[in-house]
Amino acid sequence: MGLYLCIFDGDDELDGVEVGSYADFGTFRTAVATHVEEGVEGSRCPMLMLHSDCDGQWFLEEVVLLRAELATITERFMELPPEPLGGDWKPEVAKTFGLYPANLYDCFFDVDGEPLLDRLMGLAQLSVERNLPILFQ
């Protein structure tokens, strides 16, 4: 089962990000804990790290904080060397879209090969602009 983060305005879906499996999201959060939080989960990125990924949502107040966390993660991941692509689908997507990670930032992408942090930041931006929560599905 995959993790899908999205924004709805009534019945209309405005945007969504298919992250991959819950395990993939867990791998992303593990990298954040290791490289951004120095092993203390939730110490620098509590909105991302301590929020349950099971059928919840980030409310607008949380999204404002989440955006700052995503900017911090992006900056740090761009400074670090790449790690091997894990998971069942990531190597194939990388091959399909010609992705060759140059840093840790490049190692995390959605199922369409788009940078995960960019997609999450875009979702957060839309959430703030439209005053709507980000839903976990």
Side-chain angles (χ1 to χ4, degrees), residues 109-131:
F109 45 85
D110 68 9
V111 299
D112 297 318
E114 298 294 323
L116 180 60
L117 282 158
D118 283 359
R119 294 288 287 127
L120 294 176
M121 188 63 88
L123 208 57
Q125 183 65 33
L126 180 62
S127 170
V128 170
E129 288 171 2
R130 299 294 295 266
N131 194 25

Side-chain angles (χ1 to χ4, degrees), residues 2-13:
L3 175 61
Y4 187 65
L5 302 173
C6 54
I7 297 175
F8 279 87
D9 188 357
D11 290 336
D12 296 325
E13 182 177 351

Side-chain angles (χ1 to χ4, degrees), residues 25-88:
F25 193 60
T27 299
F28 171 66
R29 293 206 296 193
T30 296
V32 171
T34 300
H35 299 293
V36 177
E37 299 184 314
E38 299 176 357
V40 183
E41 189 173 309
S43 63
R44 294 193 62 203
C45 302
M47 285 304 115
L48 176 70
M49 300 300 291
L50 301 179
H51 192 284
S52 172
D53 59 9
C54 298
D55 293 327
Q57 61 186 332
W58 277 308
F59 294 99
L60 185 60
E61 303 80 25
E62 296 171 318
V63 173
V64 170
L65 299 172
L66 177 65
R67 284 189 341 180
E69 293 176 10
L70 294 171
T72 298
I73 296 164
T74 296
E75 183 178 313
R76 181 68 179 130
F77 277 21
M78 287 191 157
E79 299 171 344
L80 297 169
E83 295 179 353
L85 298 176
D88 298 333

